[in-house]
Amino acid sequence: LPCFKKFMMENKNKVTVVLGAQWGDEGKGKVVDLLAVNSDIVCRCQGGNNAGHTVVVDGKEFDFHLLPSGIINTKCISVIGNGVVIHIPGLFEELKKNELKGMQGWQDRLIVSDRAHIVFDLHQQADGLQEAEKGKNSLGTTKKGIGPTYSSKATRNGVRIGDLLGDFSVFEEKFRTLAAGYKRMFPALEVDIESELARYREYADRIRPLVKDTVAYLHREIKLGKKVLVEGANAAMLDIDFGTYPYVTSSNCSIGGVCTGLGLPPNVIGDVIGVVKAYTTRVGDGPFPTELHDETGKLLQERGHEVGVTTRRVRRCGWLDLVVVKYTAMVDYITLPGWDCKIEDVRQMENLPEQARQYVKTIEDFLQIPVKYIGVGQGRESIIRAE
Amino acid sequence: LPCFKKFMMENKNKVTVVLGAQWGDEGKGKVVDLLAVNSDIVCRCQGGNNAGHTVVVDGKEFDFHLLPSGIINTKCISVIGNGVVIHIPGLFEELKKNELKGMQGWQDRLIVSDRAHIVFDLHQQADGLQEAEKGKNSLGTTKKGIGPTYSSKATRNGVRIGDLLGDFSVFEEKFRTLAAGYKRMFPALEVDIESELARYREYADRIRPLVKDTVAYLHREIKLGKKVLVEGANAAMLDIDFGTYPYVTSSNCSIGGVCTGLGLPPNVIGDVIGVVKAYTTRVGDGPFPTELHDETGKLLQERGHEVGVTTRRVRRCGWLDLVVVKYTAMVDYITLPGWDCKIEDVRQMENLPEQARQYVKTIEDFLQIPVKYIGVGQGRESIIRAE
Ligand SMILES: Nc1nc2c(ncn2[C@@H]2O[C@H](COP(=O)(O)OP(=O)(O)O)[C@@H](O)[C@H]2O)c(=O)[nH]1
Ligand SMILES: Nc1nc2c(ncn2[C@@H]2O[C@H](COP(=O)(O)OP(=O)(O)O)[C@@H](O)[C@H]2O)c(=O)[nH]1
């Protein structure tokens, strides 16, 4: 609720936001990892485990789907906000997988909103069945149940994390109603209701210690001067309102989703960093004006290791599309000179080939937005500061 | 898209927002009407014709549901943004009804987003059927099809205003798919697909002249220094994320919905005015801690003419609930002295009874938010400026 008020009129402490500016996989994970070092709290505000962020630390590759990538930073609190949809088994699997890679003490560093909606296995099944029905018109979803869950949320028969914490019979009733509705819509859907209920009775106990009212928590911490970083999932071109509908994800992954997904009012939003890949990739179906179906596309795919983190699908590749500001008008495509030396080891702006620097400058001029960081490889150290 | 960027870093021109701070019917319409006088553009950003705003001008009562209430101001452009859901027949009826009351020249003053989703009659039917199924657990919706439309939007088989403008066969295919899905979910649903298509072929021509890319339009006008006012529909306690879920509406009616529903970045949001009624009312079902089931409640209902603008339902009445910031903790209820003289004709703060001024001061102190205007009646003139 406090969101509609200028609740921090005199507060100078602002939240930093990292968003994808294309169709995802821009390398947000690395930028978040970089900025997390100076943050006290890292938050996810929308989407679910359809997202995939890769963070490479000391040669070890961590994949995050639902967890804020700040979770590997032992000095950070990680928050999964009310706008996120949570597949609880997936969350615990992800925690376990990363624990095996060396992540420790997450129990004290992870906070989950009581208002976040639950993704059930039946949502995932429905996602698959829906896609199958659409046939050639499929959306290319990750089949993680994200769309159906947001749909249940809008229908107002969604079940929230908070429903798991209290009287289990209330949860049970809600789950039965939801399952019955889905069975009717998709007769092929298989749900063993009793065993699901038994399973969630256990999950309730496992997730309980992590759950908090994240809205009140964040307001308090921001007031106390804590540095908060928000990690957008998916990307602006996949936004339910501003993306290439219907080939989009079912949440707002542009800046407004930070306000609705965490309960933060606009006046606490500070720097908004849009992450852009030097070329363009897209996973799944939908329009892609600069897509390359030729050898160059194949080269981008291979050299860039363009394979999806979540679904292992090969990413479609194409030229950089500067018409991200797509409805400001029809804009001519620009041809820019390339370079053919490796730049993976460059760390200083002045050591980049002239053409690469020109490439960055053209982007800055076109968008009228300063470029702050340039990624030249997967690792945490592979960043050139452009300032 | 431009929303994720600080696209107006040096722009000092800010947007003013009016939001409901309770469960709706706070009198937002009057405040918007007052502020519209100094605005160039008035926008709706979410909801549909489930909202109801009353504006009384020169004794004539205008009811607005989908139209921004600025529409009666001949110097204002009215914008229905991408986050709104539009029942086109309802829109044209509303225009006609207000035309009969004397509203003129709206054709040149109304702009509708191409990205707004369409509410079909089948959504309204589904809304009714869903409510009937829920029986005693019904949500008390207005049965205007708002929930089902937002649900279709999330499912990504929603149809948008823009789909009506181009090749009609594309619209037709989308409509058939949507209708088939709903028929399967609700076998009792009656849709005459051919006549619906014929009807929408006509609506396409009628709505075409009003449709624009409102995101680009607003960005341009704000840059040019135009004064923009946003009129929230519904209210914060009905927000899909922060309200009393599931007894909520299916959109974000807190401040984040202004960003997602109009494509405005946080840094152009200026004053946010929360409208509060001196007591509390609620239409439809759902929790209402301070509800009065006694004579006092009846008195509030009668003296306040508490009957819904949209559904004509009698509004539930109760004490002012200052726990709008509901999750900051359990807060004691406060008993405040009342007054028994009429205050309808008061126009100056100092002419209010001492108890009334004390009432306002207690609210200010509790919320730590200044009270700017006090409404003492329906009419445009019935406002006390508290500053
Ligand atoms: N070549 C190259 N690959 C990168 C760079 N930054 C990230 N990647 C890789 O790009 C892919 C997508 O990055 P990821 O962090 O998952 O994207 P996100 O979804 O935007 O967070 C992963 O395979 C990363 O390892 C970079 O600067 N150069
Ligand atoms: N008594 C009284 N009624 C008011 C006042 N302002 C508005 N109303 C009435 O309150 C009801 C709800 O107002 P409306 O503008 O429809 O609410 P909205 O949904 O917040 O825009 C209508 O019947 C108005 O005529 C006021 O200051 N005093």
Side-chain angles (χ1 to χ4, degrees), chain B residues 19-20 24-32 51-56 61 63-64 69 231-234 275 277 279 303-309 315 344 374-379 382-383:
Chain B
L19 299 176
D25 309 308
E26 298 92 352
K28 293 182 290 296
K30 193 173 60 177
V31 178
V32 170
H53 299 296
T54 317
V55 180
V56 182
E61 203 172 310
D63 287 350
F64 297 111
S69 17
E231 166 180 352
N234 320 118
V275 184
K277 190 183 288 206
Y279 46 95
R303 276 280 276 126
H305 310 291
E306 295 296 352
V307 179
V309 176
R315 298 186 187 122
E344 274 87 336
I374 302 167
V376 288
Q378 295 197 320
S382 308
I383 281 194

Side-chain angles (χ1 to χ4, degrees), chain B residues 145-192:
Chain B
I146 309 300
T149 306
Y150 279 111
S151 181
S152 297
K153 180 177 178 177
T155 306
R156 285 157 297 178
N157 57 6
V159 185
R160 305 199 292 180
I161 295 286
D163 293 321
L164 263 182
L165 307 185
D167 184 351
F168 196 78
S169 70
V170 176
F171 171 84
E172 181 171 338
E173 193 188 334
K174 290 190 178 190
F175 180 75
R176 283 186 195 279
T177 307
L178 183 72
Y182 268 99
K183 270 301 278 180
R184 196 168 65 184
M185 231 186 313
F186 301 101
L189 194 119
E190 282 167 30
V191 206
D192 179 343

Side-chain angles (χ1 to χ4, degrees), chain A residues 25 27-31 33 52-57 60-65 69 72 231 307-309 312 315 378-379:
Chain A
D25 308 308
K28 292 181 290 296
K30 192 174 60 177
V31 177
D33 177 56
H53 300 295
T54 317
V55 180
V56 182
V57 181
K60 238 184 260 170
E61 203 172 310
F62 293 86
D63 286 351
F64 297 112
H65 297 275
S69 16
I72 34 172
E231 165 179 352
V307 179
V309 177
R312 296 282 147 210
R315 299 187 186 121
Q378 295 196 318

